[in-house]
Amino acid sequence: MKRVVIIGAGIIGLALAKELAGYGLEVTVYDGKHSVDEGSDKASGILSKRGLELSGLSYKDCIVNRLNGARLHFGKQTLNVKTEKTQAYIVDRGLLAKANYDAAVDMGAIFKLGKRLDLSAIKDMDDGNTIIIGADGAVSNVARAFSFPSIKDFVLTYKAEYECTNCIEDKGMVDLYFSRNFANGFFGWIAPYSDSTLEAGVGITESSKRHSMEAFSAFTKNRNVDKSLADARLIKGHASIIPISSRSKTVNGNVLLVGDAAGQTKATTGGGIIFGIACAKVAANSVYMNLKNDRRLSLYEKDWRRSYGTDLKMHNALHKYYSMVSEAHMERFIGIAKALGAEAFFAKYGDMDSPTLMLKRFFLRGLAK
Ligand SMILES: Cc1cc2nc3c(=O)[nH]c(=O)nc-3n(C[C@H](O)[C@H](O)[C@H](O)COP(=O)(O)OP(=O)(O)OC[C@H]3O[C@@H](n4cnc5c(N)ncnc54)[C@H](O)[C@@H]3O)c2cc1C
């Protein structure tokens, strides 16, 4: 029987290990980190309530805040989408990693932490008897080792945590700021963790030819943001990277890619956990069916694109549209959308993961009236 190896114990590798072990398969996970929560504060943890509930992740003890809306700022226009109920959770990424590591270990997955594999060690694993899964993040060595096509679009990020006494007006709302000046091709955000802690961050497309820290500095000097952070004390900050388009190929022989390594992220927000985990489930099933029934492993590609490809393409199209139009156009567009009732529309039908689900809700609920 073939052995299964995962390279990368990020949140997607952890979820995948749990799934594979759940099928009764022997799975070994390698990661360069000594502990799975290492470096977890480089990314945020804003996840839709629905997505998280469906993910199968252990998350109940990791929630730090509940969100019931968002304010989207475009120049002088603000789209205020607020609902009665919790729409999203903010989770502590370190706790999330630990909880899902424990769950995977309980299911029988074997972890080899503190083992960063170089290109030749990864290539050597391909002995014809091993299924290799690259869950090794945006800059995947597994993808390089087996000559997968590259990811074309990246967002460079910088995010920081702050402590403050009076800077959080409404703990249930996240603020998103759109402007070419500080967040070319993406956005800046302020997300409250608690009554006295918050996260501020910014993303810029790689083609902006600017360091994300420089963009972050410009973001924090923006009039509204500057007001929000006036009494806040910076604790720590981190730069990172998000892939915002998927690879054109994610299976090659006995090698599969999942999560950020495959580029299974939402181009509009950079969120990668919900779709990454959904695709990891597809990958686990493909591996199991290959080992049990000799079903072709290459069908993983077709399976995940059939289930999630349309949503990811819609996120891409929305991101491309936003990146192309001028700020003045966007401001006008938001003004018109507001006048037409966009705030109520998004509050009623909106879904932060799935544009197709939003359209379905609209046609089923909205037109059924
Ligand atoms: C600033 C920022 C904010 C974000 N906010 C959100 C959010 O709010 N919601 C959301 O859903 N997503 C968010 N994301 C995206 C999300 O963090 C990623 O999609 C997710 O972490 C991807 O998980 P992964 O397991 O695929 O990759 P990673 O988390 O990158 O994990 C890859 C793992 O592989 C290991 N590794 C790499 N190379 C090797 C090697 N050669 N040998 C051994 N181990 C190796 C690494 O050590 C790492 O542990 C954000 C990202 C950033 C940067």
Side-chain angles (χ1 to χ4, degrees), residues 7-13 30-33 42-47 93 115-117 122 135-138 141 157 159 189 240-242 258-261 265 270-274:
I7 298 163
I11 193 62
I12 308 304
Y30 291 87
D31 200 299
K33 297 184 295 199
K42 283 187 183 165
S44 327
I46 304 176
L47 299 162
R93 291 287 303 259
K115 268 193 181 299
R116 191 174 168 80
L117 303 173
I122 293 171
D136 53 341
N141 262 342
T157 61
K159 62 154 274 229
W189 67 92
S240 194
I241 184 167
I242 308 179
V258 289
D260 276 20
T265 55
I273 297 180
I274 299 301

